[in-house]
Amino acid sequence: MELKPLNLPGQKERPFVLAGPCSVETEEQVMTTARSLADKGIKIFRGGVWKPRTKPGGFEGHGEKALVWMKQVKEETGMMIATEVATPEHVELALKYGMDILWVGARTTANSFAVEALAASLKGVDIPILVKNPVTPDLDLWINALECLNNVGVKRLGAIHRGFSCYEKSVYRNQPMWHVPIELHRCLPDLPICCDPSHIGGRRDLIATLCQQAMDFGMDGLIIESHCNPDEAWSDAKQQIIPEVLSEILSNITIRDKVVSTENIMALRKQIDKIDNHLLELLAKRMEVCREIGQYKKDHSMAIVQTSRYNEILEKRGEQGAQMEVSAECIQKIFEQIHQESVRQQFEIMK
Ligand code: PEP
Ligand code: MN
């Protein structure tokens, strides 16, 4: 994928920051929030002009009327302005009002028809486009949307990690599943990734920790919902923070250097390589014994999976792991995988 730098203010030092309300509600709300954010050094203002609603009756956004106020923010404060677009009509209007950055929402990324239509309307448009992850943890779908835009010539691309919907209740509104953006970074190392702690957390008190985590995972930017009066917000009230709190959170973030390669770390990494080799040799040995057991089971017409034995292994290894300062849950996961491979190998023998 051919990419060009986003060139956003703050990007070199990490993080670049987009901040502003979930939804553009009134002229007063937008201008008050924007002035206060600009005052605190924020350089990019976000505001939802068209809102994808998941519940009937929710606020759908003011559309063009809100664009007038966004433009006013740009003219008065000098901040860049950013909004979500979901259709070619949105793109046309957003550009007409001087939008500097556009992003594709999670629900849109999940729909390849919508992405195709958006891409067609963005042909020849040279502004940064940020693509949120799809609502489900489907990396291919995320990459597909990025590629689709890149194919029509959008080179100033970035990704936004906003977490993933999950039926089960948890502290988060959307599960972070950090391994997904990390895998995206492995596939597209030059693509800047920005974290959206507001939609991941869904709660004000989780934002600071999520910001720090995002920075520790090496992410480049943050997009955070900020509102002059969060409790009265027309959408996502629980997760929005006042500009003062945002500013405090940002100043408390510690940026740890991305690439430090000292002598010490090299020596430690050599040790890790050695230990990994041991682990692999031991695993191979274990599989060899498993194949012998497979032969035995075949000769004696025994079933491959003996549930009681399987449970015993998971439980015992979990306990052993916990005694050795490795979480039981992690060890059980590893042994589930090992067991799966053993079963596969024994099936080969049964054939
Ligand atoms: C938003 O940014 O306000 C929004 C609707 O986010 P998402 O697409 O991540 O749900
Ligand atoms: Mn929102």
Side-chain angles (χ1 to χ4, degrees):
M1 192 180 291
E2 193 201 328
L3 296 169
K4 280 197 200 140
L6 287 179
N7 279 337
L8 295 178
Q11 201 179 342
K12 273 202 199 98
E13 312 87 74
R14 284 209 302 152
F16 64 83
V17 177
L18 287 80
C22 175
S23 303
V24 171
E25 299 163 4
T26 65
E27 181 176 359
E28 200 202 332
Q29 168 248 8
V30 182
M31 293 316 296
T32 311
T33 309
R35 284 183 197 120
S36 178
L37 287 170
D39 225 38
K40 304 204 160 37
I42 297 297
K43 302 276 187 281
I44 312 168
F45 186 76
R46 66 146 282 163
V49 168
W50 298 278
K51 299 306 298 176
R53 285 287 54 110
T54 25
K55 280 190 207 124
F59 179 51
E60 290 174 3
H62 286 305
E64 193 162 1
K65 189 164 88 180
L67 288 170
V68 177
W69 302 328
M70 288 293 280
K71 188 162 179 261
Q72 202 175 311
V73 166
K74 180 172 170 168
E75 285 164 358
E76 194 190 301
T77 67
M79 284 191 283
M80 294 173 89
I81 50 173
T83 201
E84 171 178 344
V85 287
T87 68
E89 295 74 38
H90 294 169
V91 172
E92 197 187 325
L93 274 168
L95 294 176
K96 184 174 145 197
Y97 284 88
M99 210 52 69
D100 299 292
I101 299 168
L102 302 176
W103 80 81
V104 180
R107 291 156 197 83
T108 310
T109 310
N111 177 348
S112 59
F113 296 118
V115 171
E116 295 262 351
L118 261 187
S121 72
L122 284 163
K123 200 171 171 173
V125 175
D126 187 28
I127 61 171
I129 312 286
L130 308 176
V131 180
K132 285 201 169 193
N133 64 255
V135 278
T136 50
D138 186 336
L139 182 62
D140 287 338
L141 209 50
W142 200 358
I143 293 178
N144 173 68
L146 289 157
E147 263 172 4
C148 197
L149 291 163
N150 196 245
N151 287 343
V152 299
V154 178
K155 305 283 182 244
R156 296 173 69 194
L157 270 178
I160 300 175
H161 165 232
R162 50 77 83 191
F164 304 90
S165 293
C166 182
Y167 183 70
E168 281 153 37
K169 283 261 165 289
S170 91
V171 282
Y172 300 111
R173 174 176 173 189
N174 292 306
Q175 295 295 322
M177 299 186 169
W178 296 101
H179 60 281
V180 182
I182 287 169
E183 185 59 14
L184 176 70
H185 179 63
R186 207 178 57 79
C187 297
L188 300 168
D190 296 326
L191 182 82
I193 306 180
C194 169
C195 179
D196 176 344
S198 309
H199 289 89
I200 293 176
R203 265 169 46 182
R204 267 164 230 161
D205 59 330
L206 295 175
I207 291 173
T209 310
L210 285 164
C211 287
Q212 185 60 54
Q213 282 177 321
M215 290 304 105
D216 291 341
F217 279 119
M219 293 200 181
D220 306 272
L222 294 168
I223 175 166
I224 306 176
E225 287 187 342
S226 178
H227 189 294
C228 57
N229 187 3
D231 286 332
E232 300 300 318
W234 299 4
S235 59
D236 292 351
K238 287 199 189 101
Q239 71 197 34
Q240 303 206 59
I241 50 178
I242 52 171
E244 288 73 15
V245 171
L246 173 77
S247 173
E248 200 183 311
I249 289 176
L250 292 177
S251 61
N252 284 332
I253 289 177
T254 307
I255 301 295
R256 297 177 174 99
D257 246 20
K258 249 185 178 173
V259 272
V260 249
S261 187
T262 65
E263 287 293 304
N264 282 349
I265 212 159
M266 300 274 275
L268 289 170
R269 286 197 173 137
K270 274 207 183 110
Q271 277 191 47
I272 291 284
D273 286 345
K274 233 170 148 180
I275 294 169
D276 282 355
N277 284 335
H278 271 310
L279 278 174
L280 286 169
E281 278 164 22
L282 284 172
L283 262 181
K285 183 84 201 147
R286 191 186 193 280
M287 289 301 160
E288 217 179 289
V289 177
C290 282
R291 288 194 294 271
E292 269 178 49
I293 295 179
Q295 191 58 47
Y296 184 91
K297 284 177 181 165
K298 185 180 182 184
D299 295 345
H300 295 82
S301 309
M302 284 169 76
I304 288 184
V305 183
Q306 313 271 318
T307 318
S308 56
R309 171 70 180 148
Y310 177 50
N311 288 340
E312 181 194 322
I313 288 185
L314 284 193
E315 215 163 280
K316 270 206 186 133
R317 301 295 181 267
E319 280 169 22
Q320 287 171 288
Q323 280 165 4
M324 298 177 187
E325 290 184 54
V326 189
S327 88
E329 198 195 349
C330 162
I331 293 292
Q332 283 179 351
K333 271 195 195 134
I334 293 173
F335 275 91
E336 265 167 43
Q337 292 298 317
I338 293 177
H339 184 261
Q340 235 177 58
E341 176 60 11
S342 305
V343 169
R344 192 192 65 76
Q345 295 212 9
Q346 293 190 351
F347 263 118
E348 288 295 312
I349 288 167
M350 288 284 178
K351 264 197 219 155

